[in-house]
Amino acid sequence: PERVPAVDGPSGRQSAPHFVLVPFFAAGHMIPMVDIARLLAERGVMVSLVTTPVNAARTRTAIERAQASGLPVRFVELPFPCAELGLPEGCESADLVPSPDQIIRFFNGLSLLRAPLEAYLRRQRRVSCIISDMCHPWTRSLAEELGVPRLAFHGTCCFALLCYRNLQQHIEVCDSLDDEMKPFVVPGLPHRIEITREQAPAPFQAAGLEKFRSEFLEAEETSHGVVFNTFCELEPLYLDNYQKVSGKKVWAIGPVCLYNNLDVGDRAARGNKPAVDDKFCLSWLDGRKRGSVVFVSFGSLSWSTPSQIIEIGMGLEASGHPFILVIKAAEQSPEVEEWLALQGGFEERTKERSLVIRGWAPQMAILSHPAVGGFVSHCGWNSTAEAISAGLPMLTWPFFGEQFLNERLVVDVLGVGVCIGVKRRAKWGVTAGEEVRELVKREVVEAAVRELMEGGVEGQQRRERAALLGQKARKAMEARGSSDENLARLIRDVSLMAPHASPCDPFDKSSEEGGLVN
Ligand code: UDP
């Protein structure tokens, strides 16, 4: 059953536009949508954020903080029928899907949200638009039936989306290559970007997911525009180019992680409950020299094998730099624990200068601390945007999806990254114990970490470029910055989009009491 808390607030707010946000259920998609919800609500927009019980529990702190400060954000908590789908109870987020074959069930389950969401929306006096994650193509027909505009949100940068689009349109370039490891130039880009077929993103190409791919492409074509978690100064050529080739309206409103940037509580409460007290973490960092600590974290979905984790740890130890290493819940194993915690083991040897976090880390709070000087990352877009926002150089270690493209943006276009040099992609959803691709040895990790944190003149220039980008990111989000203005434009543009014949009139101005009928 849906949980629809009452909306408090002055009556003026009740005639505000009403945006419905439908995130994909994975940290990398939920977290920026929650930020977008708060940014919109700060502008007086009424926001309904679609979620499920497990996702709501993970996000509750962030939303409750927003509600406590009077922001009109509400959860629309819909049931996710795991048992009916043949999924384990509570399997409501991509990171909780236990095996690759279950991913298809998980994706199938998403469209079951349509009926309860429709029922909720039909009870509303006003729905101004739906901002839907690309992974919910079913929102297309829902928006059409309700006669409201549907905007797309991909959770990635514009560079990656443009690369993906161009690769799709020139699929023969990819298909003609018999060597999947041979680099080729991505067609139609303002820069010369090389990638291999192995590294090219292949959303929904796993067996059984093909139908989602065509649905996603269709839903993309018919959207009224695209909301990006990026900023104009970061990738102006790509935003421009994407707008031209897609003919779509584009709103770059990020980096949304800079929402309420100064509030440590907000920075720490992102995506899930941290496994470590953020105050402890931050006071540990307080005791380190400025720019001295390496932060190592590979997002929420990329799992490393025990032997890879051990190589990473040994490489970090040998580099001599202080570090924070995140080992997520799915990566924990007796083998890793033994290596970490035995007497004379890794944690004991490095305890003067290391912190190992087992589980969810308060990543944004850590990255924003001045003691952190470099980020070893899988190049998920949120992590990348967070590093850019914090003005940090990155050691890029992509796993799958568009992460290899993000690596190219960070290294080749922005000049703020060093590659670890992985050539093969990992398989999404493969359990942590399985060897999925090349093992990166400790010597390689050590050398790459040294390059990131030292790196001579080049390293210094990388750090300066990264610091400058961080300043630009913060400026974009400040009052009258480019993203701030784009957010205002987004709200204005939605208000001007002509409503279609609709059971819920998107811009019902007739009713003085207006508001949302639960
Ligand atoms: N994250 C976090 N703590 C963790 C792991 C991840 O806060 O221990 C956050 C991270 O800050 C980012 C998101 O989870 O906002 C991960 O998104 P990203 O796009 O980087 O990667 P994905 O998890 O989708 O691969």
Side-chain angles (χ1 to χ4, degrees):
E2 57 197 62
R3 174 180 175 273
V4 186
V7 183
D8 297 322
S11 57
R13 194 178 267 165
Q14 294 188 339
S15 58
H18 176 200
F19 281 43
V20 178
L21 272 46
V22 191
F24 178 58
F25 304 131
H29 296 240
M30 283 296 290
I31 292 173
M33 274 290 210
V34 170
D35 287 335
I36 291 172
R38 297 190 289 186
L39 283 163
L40 286 165
E42 268 187 348
R43 300 280 182 134
V45 171
M46 170 71 216
V47 180
S48 290
L49 180 82
V50 173
T51 181
T52 67
V54 168
N55 289 295
R58 288 178 166 190
T59 323
R60 196 169 310 283
T61 311
I63 295 293
E64 281 174 357
R65 290 178 69 87
Q67 287 170 339
S69 48
L71 296 183
V73 182
R74 62 160 73 167
F75 276 133
V76 184
E77 197 177 305
L78 306 176
F80 193 70
C82 292
E84 195 181 308
L85 292 161
L87 290 169
E89 206 43 49
C91 183
E92 296 174 19
S93 179
D95 61 298
L96 300 172
V97 179
S99 68
D101 55 310
Q102 313 240 20
I103 287 168
I104 295 163
R105 293 184 199 164
F106 181 72
F107 271 96
N108 271 326
L110 297 176
S111 59
L112 298 181
L113 300 174
R114 190 188 190 287
L117 179 59
E118 180 172 351
Y120 167 77
L121 294 180
R122 285 195 185 277
R123 289 200 303 276
Q124 307 308 311
R125 182 89 32 102
R126 172 178 305 136
V127 177
S128 308
C129 74
I130 296 177
I131 302 184
S132 169
D133 195 283
M134 65 166 187
C135 295
H136 294 295
W138 53 270
T139 53
R140 174 194 171 188
S141 64
L142 176 62
E144 278 169 8
E145 269 171 41
L146 296 177
V148 296
R150 173 186 179 275
L151 315 184
F153 176 71
H154 294 265
T156 186
C157 58
C158 191
F159 169 85
L161 193 62
L162 185 64
C163 288
Y164 177 63
R165 191 184 170 90
N166 290 0
L167 287 169
Q168 285 300 311
Q169 283 179 350
H170 300 271
I171 197 90
E172 69 291 345
V173 177
C174 242
D175 287 349
S176 67
L177 298 166
D178 40 19
D179 182 355
E180 63 193 14
M181 304 304 282
K182 190 169 163 218
F184 66 94
V185 178
V186 180
L189 297 183
H191 295 97
R192 184 186 164 84
I193 300 296
E194 290 194 347
I195 192 146
T196 65
R197 208 173 69 193
E198 168 71 13
Q199 297 170 338
F204 306 123
Q205 272 173 4
L209 287 183
E210 302 84 355
K211 82 174 172 95
F212 296 108
R213 191 163 149 263
S214 49
E215 282 175 11
F216 149 58
L217 291 172
E218 270 171 44
E220 165 78 17
E221 284 308 316
T222 53
S223 72
H224 288 68
V226 185
V227 176
F228 280 107
N229 177 16
T230 187
F231 58 106
C232 293
E233 295 76 5
L234 184 73
E235 40 174 353
L237 294 175
Y238 293 92
L239 283 160
D240 229 46
N241 217 297
Y242 178 80
Q243 208 156 350
K244 278 194 194 114
V245 298
S246 69
K248 301 225 165 286
K249 272 187 183 292
V250 161
W251 302 275
I253 60 165
V256 295
C257 62
L258 288 175
Y259 163 79
N260 209 6
N261 186 32
L262 297 177
D263 190 306
V264 177
D266 272 343
R267 273 194 230 141
R270 294 169 65 76
N272 211 337
K273 191 175 170 347
V276 55
D277 179 38
D278 55 293
K279 289 184 194 64
F280 166 75
C281 223
L282 296 179
S283 74
W284 185 87
L285 282 166
D286 285 343
R288 313 282 133 186
K289 279 214 312 248
R290 191 180 181 88
S292 68
V293 176
V294 191
F295 179 58
V296 187
S297 175
F298 298 113
S300 65
L301 295 169
S302 307
W303 301 334
S304 295
T305 58
S307 44
Q308 185 61 79
I309 291 169
I310 293 170
E311 291 304 309
I312 292 170
M314 301 303 276
L316 284 167
E317 183 179 3
S319 78
H321 290 280
F323 60 89
I324 297 181
L325 171 63
V326 182
I327 301 179
K328 57 177 74 68
E331 292 172 324
Q332 285 158 33
S333 67
E335 190 180 343
V336 169
E337 203 46 44
E338 194 174 308
W339 164 74
L340 279 174
L342 268 189
Q343 211 186 2
F346 181 74
E347 274 184 303
E348 196 176 308
R349 290 196 309 276
T350 61
K351 67 173 186 280
E352 297 304 323
R353 61 184 173 88
S354 84
L355 187 61
V356 176
I357 299 178
R358 294 167 173 80
W360 194 254
Q363 176 164 312
M364 188 58 196
I366 293 173
L367 287 175
S368 316
H369 194 287
V372 176
F375 181 24
V376 184
S377 168
H378 70 309
C379 302
W381 180 243
N382 295 285
S383 295
T384 307
E386 288 160 14
I388 289 170
S389 304
L392 291 173
M394 286 166 67
L395 172 54
T396 59
W397 191 320
F399 279 61
F400 50 69
E402 92 288 1
Q403 294 160 9
F404 285 95
L405 293 172
N406 295 341
E407 174 179 59
R408 299 271 59 85
L409 175 71
V410 167
V411 177
D412 300 342
V413 180
L414 303 175
V416 295
V418 183
C419 299
I420 192 77
V422 280
K423 303 268 184 280
R424 295 235 168 242
R425 68 167 169 236
K427 286 205 181 81
W428 181 37
V430 169
T431 44
E434 293 176 47
E435 285 296 345
V436 283
R437 58 174 181 171
E438 73 256 42
L439 184 74
V440 180
K441 293 280 176 49
R442 61 192 70 179
E443 299 75 26
V444 176
V445 176
E446 178 192 345
V449 168
R450 285 185 189 278
E451 180 60 28
L452 173 72
M453 301 303 285
E454 304 160 30
V457 177
E458 260 184 57
Q460 185 53 30
Q461 288 172 344
R462 242 187 330 260
R463 281 188 285 280
E464 284 168 11
R465 279 193 291 269
L468 192 64
L469 270 185
Q471 284 170 21
K472 288 184 180 171
R474 287 187 291 277
K475 200 144 191 258
M477 290 295 285
E478 279 166 12
R480 286 179 294 286
S482 62
S483 294
D484 179 68
E485 297 207 324
N486 281 337
L487 185 69
R489 189 169 59 83
L490 166 66
I491 298 167
R492 215 171 38 240
D493 286 349
V494 166
S495 317
L496 293 172
M497 281 178 191
H500 310 241
S502 166
C504 49
D505 180 353
F507 309 106
D508 174 16
K509 304 249 169 26
S510 62
S511 151
E512 272 318 298
E513 68 274 20
L516 295 150
V517 183
N518 296 328

